[in-house]
Amino acid sequence: MQIDKETLKKDFKRKLTALYAENISSASAFHKYYAISSLVKDYSSEKWMNSNDNYSNKEKKQVYYFSMEFLIGRLLGSNLLNLGIKDMCKEALAELGIDLDELLEVEHDAGLGNGGLGRLAACFLDSMASVGIPGHGCGIRYDYGLFEQKIVNGYQVEIPDNWLKNGNVWEVRREDKAVVVKFGGEVTPVLENDRLSFKHENFEAVLAVPYDTPIIGYKNNTVNTLRLWSAETIDKDFDFDSFSKGEYTKAVEHKYSVQSISQVLYPDDTRVEGKILRLKQQYFFVSAGLQSIIRTYKKMHKPINKLDEYIQIQINDTHPAVAIAELMRILVDEEMLEWDEAFKITTSVMSYTNHTILAEALEKWPINIFKKLLPRIFMIINEINERFCKEVYAKYDDLNIVHDMAIICDGYVKMAYLAIVGSHSVNGVAKLHTEILKERELSKFYNFFPQKFNNKTNGITHRRWLLQSNPKLADLITKNIGQNWIKEPIKLINLLSYSKDKNFQDKIYEVKQANKAQFSDYFKSKHGVTIDPNSIFDVQVKRLHAYKRQLLNVFNILDLYYRLKDNPSLDIVPRTFFFGAKAAPGYYLAKQTIKLINTVADLIDNDQAVNGKIKVIFLENYSVSLAEKIIPAADVSEQISTTTKEASGTGNMKLMMNGAITIATLDGANVEIRDQVGDDNIVIFGMKKDEVMEYEKNKSYNSTEYYNKDPRLKRILDSLVNGSLGVPTSEFSDIHKYLLANNDEFFVLKDFASYIDAQNKIDELYKNQGKWREMSIINIAHSGAFSSDNTIKKYARDIWRIVK
Ligand SMILES: *Cc1c(COP(=O)(O)O)cnc(C)c1O
């Protein structure tokens, strides 16, 4: 469909009137946002329908990305961009006296994810559509996304994220495609015609209603689908039986209990929540998703044993791993396949992405909870386990190995093991991470199934993270190397020839300064706080977690503060340290770290002696839309996790793509960023993988040694508990205890000296602007390697076996 400015203007006015009986002068910004979005959706509908028709007519292999989280952010800007009508729309609205940028700001973020894992899923959706892969998302339509963070008196306060309260213009409710998901009850085997079947009775039936959102490819004809499931009671809002017996509250209670399944996203991405409701969420969307996939498949009239030739399912971490057993249930119980054939098909359909090796994040469910909620699924996992254990025993003749690899063991169902055994591909998300999986965490499984293991380093969509969020940089790039990089981001490498070009370096600097000024203006108008755009913007934005070591960052700031106090003429480039981070509501140490950051910010603000040289800003409510604002303005990218703990990281890639210089440990994808840009264009510090693993194996680390021998550390740690930060001495005693008495699990004290040196090096490098700008250009040039388009093509080729 070709739309020109005049058509759009006419359509927009008509839409505003149709929706709200309003004209431009009387409509609120939200109504204008909603009208233009509704129009954009109209414009994409035909392509959406045609994509679906094309997929079924041509019997194309479909990929489904199963994920508990999709951290999408806003859609109006990216949809306009991908449809190729953003500039035209901006002009058309301007002619009507409307500022498109203002309308973009009105959209509520779709925050259905915690952090990296959910954002990866969103980048993959954008890339699958843009590369032209028939790939769809399957997840949960949470009524409440990740909480909104407020900072009150330096502490985090959580506010429910009621993102649907003004409606969601992008989704289509498809009640006709609802399916029933069954929980609990009893399962009894019955013998019928020489075949065992399983009778499921007294279950709780929940209606799963899909809401579809179009995922628009970049300037192509592909529109894929993100299908999110919502839980509802069947047929009736009230249980009229109970109602008529006068048990009104009981009836309403049932309704709320069902709805609670899709009510809220669990706000912790690193520790498993052993709640029944969480398992219920998992089975709910997995069962609904699979039922709808099978139903669509059957419309093609293909034999069920060819399922894997037409359907591929990627499970994003272990959260959807129960899909393996659910597909077995459908194939064996409903499609009447023999076990072996069903298992062969299932493993050929499924593949699993591992996202973490943190022990506290490895999902396992107590057998009793599992069995009670999912009786038939438990039986199936039991059968998978028994057959697998026999194979392991046959191979090694060693019961210890069987014990270590069993899916069900020591009272638990281990979801990662189920995911490995039940799929044909197991991938880590960065080279280093995959190596660690093979060598240590999953070494027994690697030995048993070497062919299943592979690496797929994460990526990010350059459309959102450069083209959309940093238009000034995108324009500058296009002016110099042409526009091919937009379709083929690897072509950013052509910027290399400009890295020493003085004129281009100046332009790069101008863009960065303009973005910094723009961010400062935004921050000033929103919070009334002045930020110096001539200071170095040093940015650590990511979830708050001990392993990501925001504490290490704070310790450098305190050390710098003391150095400035001791030597007021210390020659440093003024620096603004930005933190953006949500802490899981139940994660006490993380919340205390937020309080510490804000305490140090106040300490510095209230001290004339250091004012103007350093400043700390805590960015409230870090989210996708805030990331899009701060990342283009960043000079320094903080990627300082304890080596081996960050599986990949994707924030590191976004910042690199926007010209920030990375200060990093050799962890996750930082290693690959280093390999791309070379040692001269990144600042590396800290322990290496082998060193960390040695310390952990021998338990030979003693944090107190470092406290005793480094007077800087002594001063900082003492300040936590001696009142010198201007808060009661008890405020940070638990952080103090965690680092000393409890021996500093993530080696903050150990890496401190090396980090300070690296930070000093950053200061030196920045003073040499020629060098700094050259580094920045080299980083942008190599960032195309981290485009999720590349990543997704590798998934398609190696895992989903899609030839393109
Ligand atoms: C990219 C992104 C993340 C992941 O950041 P890491 O530094 O890789 O942990 C988290 N939250 C948001 C909002 C993001 O955009």
Side-chain angles (χ1 to χ4, degrees):
M1 188 194 290
Q2 272 306 333
I3 307 123
D4 56 34
K5 256 193 320 194
E6 294 312 312
T7 317
L8 189 133
K9 278 155 67 178
K10 231 176 21 212
D11 289 351
F12 175 73
K13 286 193 248 179
R14 193 181 304 140
K15 195 63 143 183
L16 204 54
T17 310
L19 281 170
Y20 302 110
E22 281 175 335
N23 55 37
I24 290 168
S25 56
S26 63
S28 66
F30 182 79
H31 283 180
K32 285 181 261 189
Y33 151 76
Y34 202 96
I36 190 68
S37 300
S38 174
L39 202 54
V40 166
K41 193 166 148 233
D42 293 350
Y43 291 158
S44 65
S45 313
E46 205 172 300
K47 272 192 195 172
W48 195 8
M49 184 175 66
N50 291 343
S51 284
N52 284 328
D53 287 351
N54 181 39
Y55 292 156
S56 48
N57 295 341
K58 298 209 174 131
E59 304 180 343
K60 289 245 172 86
K61 190 187 256 186
Q62 304 291 303
V63 174
Y64 296 90
Y65 198 81
F66 274 34
S67 179
M68 284 286 265
E69 305 191 4
F70 288 92
L71 188 49
I72 308 259
R74 293 172 174 158
L75 279 174
L76 177 55
S78 57
N79 283 345
L80 285 169
L81 184 82
N82 287 8
L83 287 172
I85 59 171
K86 191 167 181 188
D87 294 339
M88 184 273 285
C89 179
K90 193 173 167 59
E91 282 171 33
L93 289 177
E95 286 169 20
L96 297 173
I98 299 167
D99 180 359
L100 172 63
D101 293 336
E102 256 171 48
L103 303 193
L104 296 178
E105 282 298 304
V106 172
E107 181 167 359
H108 198 114
D109 272 43
L112 307 185
N114 275 283
L117 173 146
R119 185 53 232 174
L120 183 77
C123 282
F124 280 179
L125 291 180
D126 183 70
S127 283
M128 287 192 288
S130 296
V131 165
I133 294 168
H136 315 282
C138 174
I140 298 172
R141 181 181 179 271
Y142 300 106
D143 297 326
Y144 293 86
L146 184 61
F147 64 85
E148 185 195 337
Q149 178 192 56
K150 287 252 188 266
I151 302 297
V152 178
N153 189 25
Y155 296 100
Q156 168 176 296
V157 173
E158 301 95 21
I159 293 164
D161 169 48
N162 190 2
W163 73 295
L164 294 167
K165 76 171 174 261
N166 294 320
N168 173 8
V169 63
W170 305 111
E171 67 187 10
V172 182
R173 177 181 163 94
R174 299 204 193 276
E175 216 170 326
D176 55 316
K177 293 193 158 64
V179 300
V180 174
V181 178
K182 299 171 183 174
F183 294 101
E186 295 96 44
V187 173
T188 34
V190 279
L191 199 59
E192 269 174 31
N193 311 328
D194 268 1
R195 198 182 194 280
L196 263 190
S197 65
F198 295 85
K199 204 157 101 197
H200 195 180
E201 296 165 298
N202 301 322
F203 50 79
E204 179 192 21
V206 171
L207 194 68
V209 181
Y211 286 72
D212 290 352
T213 299
I215 304 294
I216 302 169
Y218 182 75
K219 293 188 181 171
N220 62 12
N221 288 319
T222 302
V223 179
N224 290 331
T225 301
L226 168 60
R227 175 162 285 182
L228 300 177
W229 297 92
S230 181
E232 297 183 10
T233 42
I234 293 178
D235 285 331
K236 48 194 191 313
D237 264 353
F238 293 97
D239 179 344
F240 283 103
D241 261 6
S242 314
F243 190 48
S244 57
K245 284 182 206 141
E247 295 174 348
Y248 174 75
T249 27
K250 199 175 143 202
V252 179
E253 265 167 23
H254 176 69
K255 179 180 152 161
Y256 282 121
S257 134
V258 167
Q259 288 174 351
S260 73
I261 296 171
S262 55
Q263 196 130 65
V264 61
L265 166 80
Y266 277 95
D268 195 335
D269 57 348
T270 46
R271 286 182 297 186
V272 292
E273 182 79 68
K275 298 252 165 66
I276 297 177
L277 183 59
R278 170 85 174 176
L279 185 59
K280 226 170 167 176
Q281 289 186 332
Q282 296 181 350
Y283 183 69
F284 169 73
F285 91 92
V286 155
S287 174
L290 276 168
Q291 289 184 58
S292 98
I293 288 167
I294 298 290
R295 192 172 52 193
T296 309
Y297 177 71
K298 288 183 133 184
K299 283 194 195 137
M300 289 202 303
H301 304 291
K302 299 280 175 196
I304 195 74
N305 64 7
K306 295 251 182 286
L307 188 71
D308 60 323
E309 291 176 26
Y310 297 91
I311 304 291
Q312 291 288 302
I313 294 174
Q314 190 72 34
I315 59 183
N316 197 20
D317 212 316
T318 53
H319 319 142
V322 69
I324 288 158
E326 174 68 358
L327 182 54
M328 284 299 288
R329 183 190 69 75
I330 293 171
L331 295 179
V332 172
D333 292 0
E334 293 180 6
E335 301 299 325
M336 307 301 231
L337 292 185
E338 293 303 319
W339 182 276
D340 287 334
E341 186 174 26
F343 196 66
K344 197 162 150 256
I345 296 165
T346 297
T347 52
S348 182
V349 165
M350 300 287 174
S351 36
Y352 157 55
T353 303
N354 175 287
H355 280 271
T356 180
I357 52 176
L358 292 180
E360 64 268 34
L362 288 183
E363 257 195 310
K364 51 182 192 175
W365 290 99
I367 288 176
N368 53 348
I369 287 187
F370 206 104
K371 212 174 179 170
K372 193 159 172 223
L373 185 68
L374 307 171
R376 177 62 185 140
I377 294 300
F378 181 77
M379 290 167 78
I380 289 169
I381 296 176
N382 219 2
E383 184 71 29
I384 295 173
N385 182 47
E386 279 189 17
R387 288 168 185 245
F388 174 62
C389 286
K390 274 185 197 142
E391 285 176 45
V392 173
Y393 188 74
K395 177 158 177 171
Y396 300 113
D397 199 11
D398 184 337
L399 280 175
N400 288 318
I401 300 183
V402 174
H403 174 269
D404 290 346
M405 296 178 77
I407 298 168
I408 302 175
C409 190
D410 301 332
Y412 288 97
V413 183
K414 299 181 175 173
M415 301 309 274
Y417 299 174
L418 172 65
I420 299 168
V421 174
S423 59
H424 67 276
S425 164
V426 178
N427 77 282
V429 289
K431 278 181 195 157
L432 184 89
H433 170 61
T434 303
E435 234 174 70
I436 297 170
L437 289 181
K438 292 202 235 177
E439 275 172 24
R440 193 181 63 184
E441 302 310 306
L442 301 175
S443 62
K444 293 200 173 70
F445 286 90
Y446 176 57
N447 289 334
F448 195 82
F449 299 120
Q451 74 289 353
K452 291 192 185 186
F453 284 73
N454 66 96
N455 175 248
K456 294 288 169 281
T457 301
N458 283 166
I460 54 166
T461 168
H462 65 292
R463 286 169 292 277
R464 182 176 293 265
W465 297 110
L466 175 50
L467 211 48
Q468 175 182 318
S469 63
N470 198 344
K472 294 186 191 78
L473 180 58
D475 286 347
L476 176 62
I477 294 169
T478 300
K479 276 206 189 81
N480 283 271
I481 63 169
Q483 56 177 10
N484 285 349
W485 69 274
I486 297 171
K487 280 269 180 185
E488 293 169 79
I490 201 73
K491 295 235 158 84
L492 284 170
I493 202 69
N494 292 332
L495 286 171
L496 274 188
S497 52
Y498 295 86
S499 67
K500 287 184 192 301
D501 179 326
K502 175 79 172 53
N503 186 37
F504 188 72
Q505 287 184 353
D506 291 349
K507 289 272 173 7
I508 282 286
Y509 176 75
E510 280 165 27
V511 164
K512 186 59 80 182
Q513 286 310 112
N515 289 336
K516 288 163 73 174
Q518 189 177 333
F519 187 83
S520 301
D521 290 348
Y522 158 80
F523 202 80
K524 173 94 194 179
S525 69
K526 189 155 168 139
H527 300 285
V529 173
T530 305
I531 298 169
D532 174 10
N534 290 314
S535 62
I536 296 176
F537 278 26
D538 181 313
V539 176
Q540 185 172 21
V541 285
K542 47 184 76 253
R543 284 303 286 261
L544 214 143
H545 196 286
Y547 86 80
K548 292 180 183 276
R549 298 200 294 191
Q550 280 90 356
L551 277 176
L552 184 57
N553 191 341
V554 176
F555 283 11
N556 171 61
I557 298 169
L558 274 173
D559 182 62
L560 187 54
Y561 171 71
Y562 292 137
R563 274 188 280 157
L564 283 166
K565 296 287 281 181
D566 294 347
N567 174 14
S569 60
L570 186 73
D571 177 32
I572 59 156
V573 183
R575 209 187 290 206
T576 306
F577 295 93
F578 292 90
F579 290 85
K582 288 181 184 175
Y587 190 174
Y588 173 71
L589 190 82
K591 292 180 121 176
Q592 283 305 105
T593 304
I594 290 176
K595 175 65 176 172
L596 177 61
I597 295 167
N598 287 309
T599 302
V600 172
D602 288 347
L603 179 76
I604 291 169
D605 277 345
N606 295 326
D607 193 330
Q608 292 293 321
V610 297
N611 251 327
K613 290 184 181 156
I614 53 176
K615 187 168 182 66
V616 176
I617 299 281
F618 192 93
L619 302 166
E620 194 177 73
N621 200 39
Y622 183 58
S623 53
V624 172
S625 55
L626 187 51
E628 288 172 42
K629 292 187 172 72
I630 186 65
I631 289 172
D635 294 306
V636 177
S637 164
E638 297 275 352
Q639 307 302 335
I640 61 178
S641 54
T642 312
T643 302
T644 72
K645 305 301 176 191
E646 187 76 88
S648 166
T650 49
N652 47 3
M653 302 167 184
K654 300 168 197 164
L655 283 149
M656 170 202 197
M657 190 173 271
N658 284 272
I661 306 304
T662 311
I663 179 168
T665 50
L666 280 179
D667 197 16
N670 300 345
V671 178
E672 287 155 80
I673 293 178
R674 193 274 316 262
D675 291 347
Q676 289 286 331
V677 301
D679 283 309
D680 290 345
N681 298 297
I682 186 167
V683 178
I684 298 294
F685 74 97
M687 286 199 279
K688 307 289 181 280
K689 165 189 170 234
D690 290 341
E691 211 178 331
V692 173
M693 285 167 70
E694 272 300 302
Y695 270 113
E696 286 181 341
K697 204 168 110 198
N698 306 329
K699 301 197 189 332
S700 51
Y701 176 54
N702 178 3
S703 64
T704 305
E705 257 175 47
Y706 294 84
Y707 166 81
N708 287 329
K709 94 184 162 200
D710 191 333
R712 299 171 299 180
L713 273 174
K714 187 160 191 315
R715 186 170 180 185
I716 291 165
L717 281 149
D718 290 351
S719 76
L720 294 179
V721 288
N722 66 14
S724 64
L725 299 182
V727 290
T729 54
S730 60
E731 182 69 72
F732 300 120
S733 59
D734 288 304
I735 294 182
H736 183 269
K737 183 171 157 201
Y738 164 80
L739 291 170
L740 291 173
N742 294 344
N743 205 30
D744 179 21
E745 184 183 358
F746 294 107
F747 304 94
V748 173
L749 274 55
K750 173 87 179 74
D751 274 345
F752 173 79
S754 163
Y755 182 57
I756 300 286
D757 292 346
Q759 283 290 19
N760 290 335
K761 189 170 171 196
I762 289 277
D763 181 75
E764 288 304 315
L765 286 165
Y766 195 83
K767 284 173 183 155
N768 181 354
Q769 273 293 310
K771 173 66 185 157
W772 186 269
R773 294 172 197 177
E774 180 188 343
M775 290 171 73
S776 179
I777 297 164
I778 291 172
N779 271 271
I780 300 165
H782 284 286
S783 69
F786 299 101
S787 145
S788 46
D789 293 4
N790 295 341
T791 312
I792 217 67
K793 283 178 192 162
K794 289 174 188 161
Y795 273 86
R797 185 192 62 197
D798 302 344
I799 301 178
W800 307 327
R801 295 157 296 198
I802 291 178
V803 275
K804 273 210 57 83

